[in-house]
Amino acid sequence: MNENLFEVLRAFRLDAKPVSCEPYGCGHINVTYLAVTESGRRYILQKINSNTFRDVAGLMENITAVTEFLRTKTDDPRGVLTLVKTHDSASYLHAQDAYWRTYDFVEDSICLQLPETDEDFYQSAVGFGTFQQLLTDFPAAKLHETIPNFHNTPDRYRALLETLKRDPMHRAAQVQPEIEFALARQAEMATIQNALTAGELPLRVTHNDTKLNNVLFDRRTRKALCVLDLDTVMPGSSLYDYGDSIRFGAATAAEDEKDLSKMGINLHLFQVYTAGYLAACKSLTPKELELLPLGAKIITLELAVRFLTDYLDGDRYFRVAYPEHNLVRARAQMKLVADMEAHWDEMQAIVAEEAAKRN
């Protein structure tokens, strides 16, 4: 084992001496290790990416507050991640020019990259819906914004317009249809942000990365256990979390599919996820229920705008595999938006049907 990692682990309150520490998982932001002690007990050690998350203290305050609150709401020790404190009772460690944290390993659990059945997708919805439900009375306004303006869609449009004005790569002339598609929907895309500001939607604790692989499942029952990757937990709207799950999980193609004929909304999977989310999260208000389909549309177009802005700006934010990669991503997301619009009445009917089952 790397001696530097051993030194880091010794700073945390492990149950025994660590004997191994190996790279673990397939995350892209933080560096993750699986540590094992002499007793056989396992832990997750993570080196926090402080380039992505500049306010590590604020980030860890968020995670500590949310996990400790969730601990009071569940009897299942695997129902929430458990931070291991340092010997100084801190939630993280600054050592070797880096920031580190440790979690208990969640035993007898599995993490899926893609659903193997509809039930897997349903259970991911139950996982995120339960997370939202249990945090209903958490004071979301007290949380730090780990990534400021992350889902502030009007601000994303401001960035697009500024980049268009500069046109540093001289690419704007070649992407007029995409620009027009985005700008034609600019007013509608501010709906959630405006409703939050006006108090028409409740400010909630949001996860902001609601992909399937951020839910742990019980290895035996395949039921959702808990939610992972709490770095982007911030104040926001439940519609963003719900919408991002739909964008990612109910699309018929990958987010960088070049053949746009393959991209659309899978209404069956839309219903599967909606059923699980609404079954688990009973606290959604009538306004939130009404705007659920719009949450999916807004989050999808917001990402399209971000891809388009980055393409116009010379691909400075998203990693690209080829020169047009961000443009391909933007087009795929716009096609998904267009297909949602084509099936809007059906999406609204599905939400209404699943909402009625809760009464």
Side-chain angles (χ1 to χ4, degrees):
M1 183 173 66
N2 183 309
E3 180 58 33
N4 291 339
L5 294 178
F6 181 75
E7 185 180 333
V8 168
L9 284 166
R10 277 195 308 227
F12 290 92
R13 295 176 185 167
L14 308 184
D15 74 314
K17 179 181 176 182
V19 293
S20 69
C21 188
E22 303 293 336
Y24 184 78
C26 50
H28 298 302
I29 306 297
N30 303 309
V31 183
T32 303
Y33 301 91
L34 177 64
V36 184
T37 65
E38 285 179 330
S39 70
R41 188 163 172 178
R42 299 194 285 181
Y43 297 88
I44 291 292
L45 173 69
Q46 285 189 316
K47 181 180 178 182
I48 302 168
N49 186 332
S50 55
N51 290 321
T52 299
F53 303 106
R54 303 297 177 90
D55 179 13
V56 173
L59 178 151
M60 292 307 298
E61 279 182 30
N62 284 359
I63 293 176
T64 301
V66 165
T67 54
E68 288 181 355
F69 186 89
L70 287 171
R71 180 69 58 207
T72 69
K73 299 283 187 175
T74 176
D75 297 326
D76 184 354
R78 297 185 300 161
V80 56
L81 294 182
T82 301
L83 280 166
V84 179
K85 298 292 180 70
T86 69
H87 291 295
D88 296 329
S89 298
S91 61
Y92 67 100
L93 176 73
H94 186 209
Q96 300 174 13
D97 235 11
Y99 296 90
W100 307 83
R101 66 176 169 226
T102 302
Y103 290 108
D104 283 342
F105 186 82
V106 181
E107 297 292 350
D108 295 317
S109 65
I110 55 173
C111 179
L112 302 174
Q113 297 305 313
L114 291 170
E116 294 170 7
T117 63
D118 285 356
E119 179 65 16
D120 288 341
F121 194 42
Y122 178 90
Q123 284 298 322
S124 75
V126 169
F128 286 117
T130 300
F131 178 81
Q132 184 65 257
Q133 178 66 26
L134 295 180
L135 290 163
T136 296
D137 50 353
F138 183 96
K142 292 186 176 181
L143 293 176
H144 302 272
E145 280 194 80
T146 54
I147 305 176
N149 289 318
F150 187 57
H151 283 318
N152 184 337
T153 313
D155 193 65
R156 296 295 188 186
Y157 270 91
R158 178 199 55 76
L160 172 62
L161 292 169
E162 284 185 3
T163 306
L164 268 175
K165 193 173 181 180
R166 290 186 293 110
D167 195 15
M169 307 302 292
H170 307 292
R171 289 174 167 177
Q174 285 78 50
V175 292
Q176 285 304 305
E178 290 76 16
I179 293 168
E180 289 168 11
F181 185 96
L183 295 183
R185 291 157 179 80
Q186 183 176 1
E188 184 185 28
M189 291 302 103
T191 302
I192 294 176
Q193 191 63 38
N194 290 346
L196 278 172
T197 302
E200 295 168 6
L201 289 172
L203 188 70
R204 293 183 180 270
V205 179
T206 48
H207 184 276
N208 294 300
D209 192 14
T210 51
K211 295 195 293 288
L212 180 83
N213 60 8
N214 280 330
V215 177
L216 278 183
F217 295 81
D218 182 280
R219 183 181 298 278
R220 184 177 57 82
T221 66
R222 294 287 276 247
K223 303 293 186 188
L225 284 175
C226 69
V227 170
L228 299 177
D229 194 3
L230 305 177
D231 290 331
T232 51
V233 164
M234 290 182 274
S237 170
S238 59
L239 303 176
Y240 295 140
D241 276 1
Y242 168 86
D244 205 26
S245 289
I246 297 301
R247 180 198 70 79
F248 182 79
T252 58
E255 71 178 21
D256 59 353
E257 174 58 58
K258 292 181 180 179
D259 182 354
L260 295 181
S261 69
K262 295 180 179 179
M263 176 57 89
I265 180 76
N266 182 320
L267 291 175
H268 171 68
L269 291 179
F270 178 78
Q271 179 150 22
V272 167
Y273 192 89
T274 302
Y277 195 78
L278 296 193
C281 191
K282 305 288 191 182
S283 65
L284 294 180
T285 66
K287 187 69 171 177
E288 286 175 302
L289 292 170
E290 174 195 333
L291 294 180
L292 279 175
L294 192 61
K297 179 178 173 180
I298 285 178
I299 212 76
T300 305
L301 189 52
E302 179 189 285
L303 188 59
V305 166
R306 292 176 63 196
F307 285 142
L308 181 60
T309 302
D310 202 33
Y311 176 74
L312 292 167
D313 203 27
D315 310 304
R316 294 153 58 91
Y317 184 83
F318 294 105
R319 191 177 302 167
V320 294
Y322 50 91
E324 296 80 29
H325 200 173
N326 272 325
L327 179 58
V328 166
R329 289 165 167 155
R331 286 172 173 163
Q333 296 304 292
M334 288 177 183
K335 176 61 185 339
L336 180 54
V337 167
D339 201 54
M340 288 179 185
E341 291 174 344
H343 294 93
W344 200 246
D345 290 347
E346 293 152 279
M347 290 172 66
Q348 289 183 309
I350 287 169
V351 170
E353 178 185 338
E354 296 303 332
K357 292 177 183 177
R358 309 186 317 159
N359 300 326

